[in-house]
Amino acid sequence: MDTIALKAKAVQIRMDLLNMIHRAKTGHTGGSLSNTDILTALYYKVMKIDPTNPKLPNRDRFIASKGHSVESLWCILADLGFFPKEELQTFSQFGTRLIGHPNNKVPGIEMNTGALGHGLAIAVGMALASKRGGAGYRVFCLMGDGEQAEGSVWEAAMAGAHYKLDNLVGIVDRNRLQISGSTEDVMGLDPLDKKWESFGWNVVSVDGNDIAALVQVFEEAPTVKGKPTLIMANTVKGKGVSFAENVPHWHHHVPNDGELELALKELSARLKSFQEGEVR
């Protein structure tokens, strides 16, 4: 899939997740919109996965430590065929598998997550198992920036560097907003890149809403030997919906009928530009 097709796919995923959240009347809209490009790059271009064989032994692993922003992940897994796309209509309904956090009863989900600060430790264990067992798979772990205030993140960061896990890629969705406001007001993180470097990680900063740039850094990460890589993905919360971008209220705001109509109109125009060969 080329860059234009990836960008178009990301737009479609945003439309799908907005419809799903609106239908369910619940969800984490802002963070799911901000991480869509990251997940699109990983699932459609970078990771070694097989929807027809979700337990492929040497598959790459993805851990959504930022589990509350699961909506984009559900839409991508459904689009790829891990489960029927019609099942998205059951999101957050009674008895569904598609709950508000990753659920490993669903094909394609490695681990139940959502208790912030725990995902990276799981990813470290998986990457260490891959190294010691000679499996050769890579492990990707997506974290929120508000999550960086959890001490367990830094314990796992130390372990990842100690074991020289160059098959481990951590990603911070650095949109600078969390449920209660700016990350720098709630618990200052900057200079976050320097902190990760001091823990022994190879750190790369990238526009987290630029799919071509994301693919490049994901593909370059394995060339750095002897240490894990942390990708500081600078994103916009609510990306793709103009009136939701950088608005804290959209952390878990559910679009009403009018907002959904306006958002889908914007995204449809963007999708049409890609389908007609316009590059913007």
Side-chain angles (χ1 to χ4, degrees):
M1 190 176 287
D2 64 19
T3 299
I4 299 302
L6 288 170
K7 289 181 177 181
K9 180 62 69 176
V11 173
Q12 185 60 62
I13 294 300
R14 286 185 167 95
M15 295 173 72
D16 290 345
L17 75 86
L18 285 169
N19 276 312
M20 186 176 71
I21 289 172
H22 177 263
R23 185 187 304 111
K25 296 181 171 53
T26 186
H28 286 81
T29 310
S32 286
L33 289 170
S34 74
N35 72 30
T36 294
D37 298 304
I38 298 168
L39 296 185
T40 300
L42 282 173
Y43 274 89
Y44 293 93
K45 189 70 174 181
V46 175
M47 291 199 305
K48 179 171 58 181
I49 53 173
D50 182 358
T52 67
N53 185 11
K55 295 296 183 182
L56 185 73
N58 65 339
R59 70 191 180 280
D60 289 334
R61 271 69 165 170
F62 174 76
I63 300 295
S65 188
K66 183 188 175 181
H68 57 281
S69 295
V70 73
E71 292 84 2
S72 46
L73 180 56
W74 287 145
C75 291
I76 286 172
L77 292 178
D79 184 67
L80 287 169
F82 281 92
F83 59 85
K85 198 165 184 178
E86 294 74 24
E87 194 170 346
L88 294 176
Q89 298 179 25
T90 72
F91 172 63
S92 283
Q93 304 304 304
F94 180 75
T96 185
R97 298 188 298 175
L98 306 185
I99 57 178
H101 291 83
N103 167 24
N104 65 3
K105 301 296 183 185
V106 180
I109 298 295
E110 302 290 345
M111 194 77 189
N112 297 343
T113 55
L116 295 176
H118 295 182
L120 187 63
I122 296 167
V124 165
M126 289 180 170
L128 184 59
S130 176
K131 281 279 190 182
R132 291 187 170 177
Y137 59 79
R138 298 169 71 192
V139 183
F140 299 85
C141 179
L142 177 64
M143 298 171 280
D145 48 6
E147 184 178 358
Q148 305 302 292
E150 300 280 356
S152 51
V153 169
W154 300 101
E155 293 178 60
M158 282 191 287
H162 175 77
Y163 290 109
K164 299 178 170 50
L165 299 178
D166 47 21
N167 60 336
L168 173 62
V169 178
I171 309 149
V172 176
D173 185 2
R174 188 72 169 111
N175 59 40
R176 296 182 171 269
L177 290 173
Q178 58 189 95
I179 190 170
S180 47
S182 163
T183 56
E184 301 314 294
D185 291 337
V186 177
M187 180 63 71
L189 299 174
D190 285 331
L192 188 55
D193 55 347
K194 300 300 182 186
K195 291 174 182 175
W196 278 94
E197 286 176 356
S198 73
F199 273 69
W201 288 56
N202 169 51
V203 177
V204 182
S205 293
V206 65
D207 180 344
N209 296 125
D210 182 336
I211 286 183
L214 285 163
V215 169
Q216 181 176 346
V217 298
F218 284 136
E219 292 182 340
E220 289 177 352
T223 65
V224 178
K225 300 302 180 184
K227 59 173 63 177
T229 291
L230 188 284
I231 295 174
M232 195 67 61
N234 296 295
T235 62
V236 174
K237 197 153 191 169
K239 180 67 176 179
V241 178
S242 62
F243 52 88
E245 292 184 355
N246 287 319
V247 179
H249 172 65
W250 277 81
H251 179 86
H252 50 34
H253 175 67
V254 175
N256 59 35
D257 292 350
E259 289 167 336
L260 178 67
E261 182 180 358
L262 287 174
L264 293 180
K265 183 177 180 180
E266 283 188 14
L267 291 165
S268 294
R270 180 79 168 152
L271 183 60
K272 184 178 179 182
S273 73
F274 290 128
Q275 292 171 338
E276 293 180 350
E278 299 174 20
V279 180
R280 291 194 286 169

